[in-house]
Amino acid sequence: MPSIISADLKITGNLRSDGDIQVDGFVEGDIDSATLTVGEGAQVKGHISCDAVRICGTIDGAVKAKSVVMAKSARVIGDIIHDSLAIEAGAFIEGNIKRLEGASRSSGGTSNVTPAPTASSSSGGSQTSKPLAS
């Protein structure tokens, strides 16, 4: 059973949980939990550190998680550090996307996704305008 921040609730401060958190309201602070779901109307201003995160709303800050899923309504302004990343068409990212260091050794590289004009590819290769999942 997740801890739920409802749509009419605004929290200022950091959240830490060994369980699941679902944010449907507004959080200004860092979130550290096992899993996190950011609802479609939710806004988070702060850094995220989780095992798994599903983003449907807005995050203004860095996201670090083993598994990141971005729905088409997702909006992230900040870097995403991940082991597994899925991006639905229509999701918005302004920042860098990097694989966790432990995962890059086994996969042989980094993710080069260019969904926003400000993100750049470090490989020097051709870029694509379609969102990619790694």
Side-chain angles (χ1 to χ4, degrees), residues 87 97 111-117 119-121 123-133:
I87 305 171
I97 299 174
S111 296
N112 293 317
V113 179
T114 314
S120 64
S121 172
S123 68
S126 64
Q127 295 179 349
T128 179
S129 62
K130 295 191 320 188
L132 303 174

PDB file of all heavy atoms in Angstrom, residues 87 97 111-117 119-121 123-133:
ATOM      1  N   ILE A  87      10.379   5.527 -22.536  1.00  0.00           N
ATOM      2  CA  ILE A  87       9.805   6.846 -22.791  1.00  0.00           C
ATOM      3  C   ILE A  87       8.676   6.710 -23.802  1.00  0.00           C
ATOM      4  O   ILE A  87       8.897   6.237 -24.917  1.00  0.00           O
ATOM      5  CB  ILE A  87      10.858   7.821 -23.352  1.00  0.00           C
ATOM      6  CG1 ILE A  87      12.073   7.901 -22.430  1.00  0.00           C
ATOM      7  CG2 ILE A  87      10.254   9.196 -23.560  1.00  0.00           C
ATOM      8  CD1 ILE A  87      13.234   8.675 -23.023  1.00  0.00           C
ATOM      9  N   ILE A  97      20.646  12.391 -20.211  1.00  0.00           N
ATOM     10  CA  ILE A  97      20.226  11.043 -19.840  1.00  0.00           C
ATOM     11  C   ILE A  97      21.466  10.178 -19.799  1.00  0.00           C
ATOM     12  O   ILE A  97      22.217  10.113 -20.771  1.00  0.00           O
ATOM     13  CB  ILE A  97      19.205  10.486 -20.849  1.00  0.00           C
ATOM     14  CG1 ILE A  97      17.965  11.362 -20.863  1.00  0.00           C
ATOM     15  CG2 ILE A  97      18.878   9.039 -20.524  1.00  0.00           C
ATOM     16  CD1 ILE A  97      16.966  10.997 -21.915  1.00  0.00           C
ATOM     17  N   SER A 111      23.369   5.863 -22.898  1.00  0.00           N
ATOM     18  CA  SER A 111      22.170   6.174 -23.677  1.00  0.00           C
ATOM     19  C   SER A 111      22.358   7.522 -24.343  1.00  0.00           C
ATOM     20  O   SER A 111      22.810   8.470 -23.720  1.00  0.00           O
ATOM     21  CB  SER A 111      20.955   6.239 -22.750  1.00  0.00           C
ATOM     22  OG  SER A 111      20.727   4.994 -22.187  1.00  0.00           O
ATOM     23  N   ASN A 112      22.004   7.609 -25.571  1.00  0.00           N
ATOM     24  CA  ASN A 112      22.065   8.866 -26.300  1.00  0.00           C
ATOM     25  C   ASN A 112      20.681   9.173 -26.834  1.00  0.00           C
ATOM     26  O   ASN A 112      20.373   8.900 -27.978  1.00  0.00           O
ATOM     27  CB  ASN A 112      23.072   8.782 -27.448  1.00  0.00           C
ATOM     28  CG  ASN A 112      24.483   8.649 -26.953  1.00  0.00           C
ATOM     29  OD1 ASN A 112      24.852   9.334 -26.011  1.00  0.00           O
ATOM     30  ND2 ASN A 112      25.256   7.775 -27.551  1.00  0.00           N
ATOM     31  N   VAL A 113      19.835   9.715 -25.983  1.00  0.00           N
ATOM     32  CA  VAL A 113      18.471  10.043 -26.352  1.00  0.00           C
ATOM     33  C   VAL A 113      18.387  11.545 -26.488  1.00  0.00           C
ATOM     34  O   VAL A 113      18.860  12.275 -25.633  1.00  0.00           O
ATOM     35  CB  VAL A 113      17.474   9.534 -25.281  1.00  0.00           C
ATOM     36  CG1 VAL A 113      16.067   9.901 -25.672  1.00  0.00           C
ATOM     37  CG2 VAL A 113      17.617   8.044 -25.114  1.00  0.00           C
ATOM     38  N   THR A 114      17.774  12.036 -27.556  1.00  0.00           N
ATOM     39  CA  THR A 114      17.712  13.462 -27.800  1.00  0.00           C
ATOM     40  C   THR A 114      16.271  13.921 -27.970  1.00  0.00           C
ATOM     41  O   THR A 114      15.853  14.307 -29.052  1.00  0.00           O
ATOM     42  CB  THR A 114      18.525  13.816 -29.062  1.00  0.00           C
ATOM     43  OG1 THR A 114      19.766  13.147 -28.999  1.00  0.00           O
ATOM     44  CG2 THR A 114      18.769  15.313 -29.153  1.00  0.00           C
ATOM     45  N   PRO A 115      15.431  13.840 -26.912  1.00  0.00           N
ATOM     46  CA  PRO A 115      14.052  14.255 -27.050  1.00  0.00           C
ATOM     47  C   PRO A 115      13.840  15.758 -26.949  1.00  0.00           C
ATOM     48  O   PRO A 115      12.820  16.256 -27.338  1.00  0.00           O
ATOM     49  CB  PRO A 115      13.345  13.530 -25.907  1.00  0.00           C
ATOM     50  CG  PRO A 115      14.416  13.307 -24.908  1.00  0.00           C
ATOM     51  CD  PRO A 115      15.696  13.192 -25.664  1.00  0.00           C
ATOM     52  N   ALA A 116      14.822  16.494 -26.385  1.00  0.00           N
ATOM     53  CA  ALA A 116      14.685  17.936 -26.260  1.00  0.00           C
ATOM     54  C   ALA A 116      15.846  18.593 -26.997  1.00  0.00           C
ATOM     55  O   ALA A 116      16.948  18.057 -27.013  1.00  0.00           O
ATOM     56  CB  ALA A 116      14.698  18.352 -24.796  1.00  0.00           C
ATOM     57  N   PRO A 117      15.644  19.754 -27.600  1.00  0.00           N
ATOM     58  CA  PRO A 117      16.697  20.395 -28.375  1.00  0.00           C
ATOM     59  C   PRO A 117      17.952  20.692 -27.562  1.00  0.00           C
ATOM     60  O   PRO A 117      19.021  20.780 -28.110  1.00  0.00           O
ATOM     61  CB  PRO A 117      16.053  21.696 -28.862  1.00  0.00           C
ATOM     62  CG  PRO A 117      14.600  21.514 -28.705  1.00  0.00           C
ATOM     63  CD  PRO A 117      14.401  20.484 -27.650  1.00  0.00           C
ATOM     64  N   ALA A 119      19.321  18.797 -25.191  1.00  0.00           N
ATOM     65  CA  ALA A 119      20.100  17.606 -24.869  1.00  0.00           C
ATOM     66  C   ALA A 119      21.020  17.300 -26.037  1.00  0.00           C
ATOM     67  O   ALA A 119      20.675  17.513 -27.182  1.00  0.00           O
ATOM     68  CB  ALA A 119      19.175  16.413 -24.600  1.00  0.00           C
ATOM     69  N   SER A 120      22.231  16.786 -25.748  1.00  0.00           N
ATOM     70  CA  SER A 120      23.163  16.497 -26.826  1.00  0.00           C
ATOM     71  C   SER A 120      23.662  15.080 -26.734  1.00  0.00           C
ATOM     72  O   SER A 120      23.667  14.472 -25.674  1.00  0.00           O
ATOM     73  CB  SER A 120      24.332  17.475 -26.777  1.00  0.00           C
ATOM     74  OG  SER A 120      25.049  17.295 -25.588  1.00  0.00           O
ATOM     75  N   SER A 121      24.096  14.581 -27.858  1.00  0.00           N
ATOM     76  CA  SER A 121      24.622  13.228 -27.937  1.00  0.00           C
ATOM     77  C   SER A 121      26.127  13.276 -27.754  1.00  0.00           C
ATOM     78  O   SER A 121      26.807  14.060 -28.391  1.00  0.00           O
ATOM     79  CB  SER A 121      24.278  12.631 -29.302  1.00  0.00           C
ATOM     80  OG  SER A 121      24.927  11.400 -29.461  1.00  0.00           O
ATOM     81  N   SER A 123      28.153  10.754 -28.402  1.00  0.00           N
ATOM     82  CA  SER A 123      28.816   9.807 -29.282  1.00  0.00           C
ATOM     83  C   SER A 123      29.284  10.451 -30.576  1.00  0.00           C
ATOM     84  O   SER A 123      30.072   9.871 -31.295  1.00  0.00           O
ATOM     85  CB  SER A 123      27.874   8.645 -29.608  1.00  0.00           C
ATOM     86  OG  SER A 123      26.810   9.106 -30.412  1.00  0.00           O
ATOM     87  N   GLY A 124      28.790  11.618 -30.909  1.00  0.00           N
ATOM     88  CA  GLY A 124      29.160  12.276 -32.143  1.00  0.00           C
ATOM     89  C   GLY A 124      28.457  11.682 -33.349  1.00  0.00           C
ATOM     90  O   GLY A 124      28.701  12.085 -34.471  1.00  0.00           O
ATOM     91  N   GLY A 125      27.602  10.710 -33.156  1.00  0.00           N
ATOM     92  CA  GLY A 125      26.881  10.065 -34.245  1.00  0.00           C
ATOM     93  C   GLY A 125      25.647  10.831 -34.612  1.00  0.00           C
ATOM     94  O   GLY A 125      25.381  11.930 -34.127  1.00  0.00           O
ATOM     95  N   SER A 126      24.862  10.257 -35.487  1.00  0.00           N
ATOM     96  CA  SER A 126      23.642  10.926 -35.919  1.00  0.00           C
ATOM     97  C   SER A 126      22.610  10.875 -34.799  1.00  0.00           C
ATOM     98  O   SER A 126      22.599   9.981 -33.974  1.00  0.00           O
ATOM     99  CB  SER A 126      23.095  10.243 -37.179  1.00  0.00           C
ATOM    100  OG  SER A 126      22.738   8.924 -36.875  1.00  0.00           O
ATOM    101  N   GLN A 127      21.752  11.877 -34.788  1.00  0.00           N
ATOM    102  CA  GLN A 127      20.723  11.964 -33.769  1.00  0.00           C
ATOM    103  C   GLN A 127      19.378  11.718 -34.410  1.00  0.00           C
ATOM    104  O   GLN A 127      19.172  11.986 -35.583  1.00  0.00           O
ATOM    105  CB  GLN A 127      20.733  13.340 -33.113  1.00  0.00           C
ATOM    106  CG  GLN A 127      22.009  13.607 -32.347  1.00  0.00           C
ATOM    107  CD  GLN A 127      21.984  14.990 -31.727  1.00  0.00           C
ATOM    108  OE1 GLN A 127      21.120  15.796 -32.029  1.00  0.00           O
ATOM    109  NE2 GLN A 127      22.928  15.267 -30.872  1.00  0.00           N
ATOM    110  N   THR A 128      18.457  11.230 -33.614  1.00  0.00           N
ATOM    111  CA  THR A 128      17.115  10.980 -34.106  1.00  0.00           C
ATOM    112  C   THR A 128      16.135  11.804 -33.289  1.00  0.00           C
ATOM    113  O   THR A 128      16.381  12.097 -32.132  1.00  0.00           O
ATOM    114  CB  THR A 128      16.759   9.480 -34.010  1.00  0.00           C
ATOM    115  OG1 THR A 128      15.429   9.304 -34.483  1.00  0.00           O
ATOM    116  CG2 THR A 128      16.866   8.946 -32.613  1.00  0.00           C
ATOM    117  N   SER A 129      15.035  12.196 -33.896  1.00  0.00           N
ATOM    118  CA  SER A 129      14.051  13.011 -33.183  1.00  0.00           C
ATOM    119  C   SER A 129      13.011  12.173 -32.491  1.00  0.00           C
ATOM    120  O   SER A 129      12.179  12.693 -31.781  1.00  0.00           O
ATOM    121  CB  SER A 129      13.394  14.001 -34.146  1.00  0.00           C
ATOM    122  OG  SER A 129      12.703  13.286 -35.155  1.00  0.00           O
ATOM    123  N   LYS A 130      13.031  10.848 -32.717  1.00  0.00           N
ATOM    124  CA  LYS A 130      12.059   9.987 -32.074  1.00  0.00           C
ATOM    125  C   LYS A 130      12.561   9.580 -30.704  1.00  0.00           C
ATOM    126  O   LYS A 130      13.736   9.301 -30.536  1.00  0.00           O
ATOM    127  CB  LYS A 130      11.817   8.722 -32.907  1.00  0.00           C
ATOM    128  CG  LYS A 130      11.189   9.005 -34.233  1.00  0.00           C
ATOM    129  CD  LYS A 130      10.703   7.784 -34.954  1.00  0.00           C
ATOM    130  CE  LYS A 130      11.588   6.594 -34.858  1.00  0.00           C
ATOM    131  NZ  LYS A 130      11.191   5.482 -35.702  1.00  0.00           N
ATOM    132  N   PRO A 131      11.693   9.542 -29.677  1.00  0.00           N
ATOM    133  CA  PRO A 131      12.114   9.072 -28.362  1.00  0.00           C
ATOM    134  C   PRO A 131      12.560   7.610 -28.447  1.00  0.00           C
ATOM    135  O   PRO A 131      11.986   6.821 -29.183  1.00  0.00           O
ATOM    136  CB  PRO A 131      10.864   9.219 -27.496  1.00  0.00           C
ATOM    137  CG  PRO A 131      10.005  10.204 -28.214  1.00  0.00           C
ATOM    138  CD  PRO A 131      10.333  10.019 -29.674  1.00  0.00           C
ATOM    139  N   LEU A 132      13.577   7.295 -27.704  1.00  0.00           N
ATOM    140  CA  LEU A 132      14.120   5.942 -27.684  1.00  0.00           C
ATOM    141  C   LEU A 132      13.994   5.356 -26.290  1.00  0.00           C
ATOM    142  O   LEU A 132      14.003   6.073 -25.323  1.00  0.00           O
ATOM    143  CB  LEU A 132      15.592   5.937 -28.085  1.00  0.00           C
ATOM    144  CG  LEU A 132      15.926   6.541 -29.450  1.00  0.00           C
ATOM    145  CD1 LEU A 132      17.421   6.601 -29.620  1.00  0.00           C
ATOM    146  CD2 LEU A 132      15.316   5.704 -30.554  1.00  0.00           C
ATOM    147  N   ALA A 133      13.916   4.076 -26.190  1.00  0.00           N
ATOM    148  CA  ALA A 133      13.931   3.397 -24.892  1.00  0.00           C
ATOM    149  C   ALA A 133      15.158   2.504 -24.860  1.00  0.00           C
ATOM    150  O   ALA A 133      15.506   1.894 -25.843  1.00  0.00           O
ATOM    151  CB  ALA A 133      12.667   2.568 -24.697  1.00  0.00           C
TER     152      ALA A 133
END
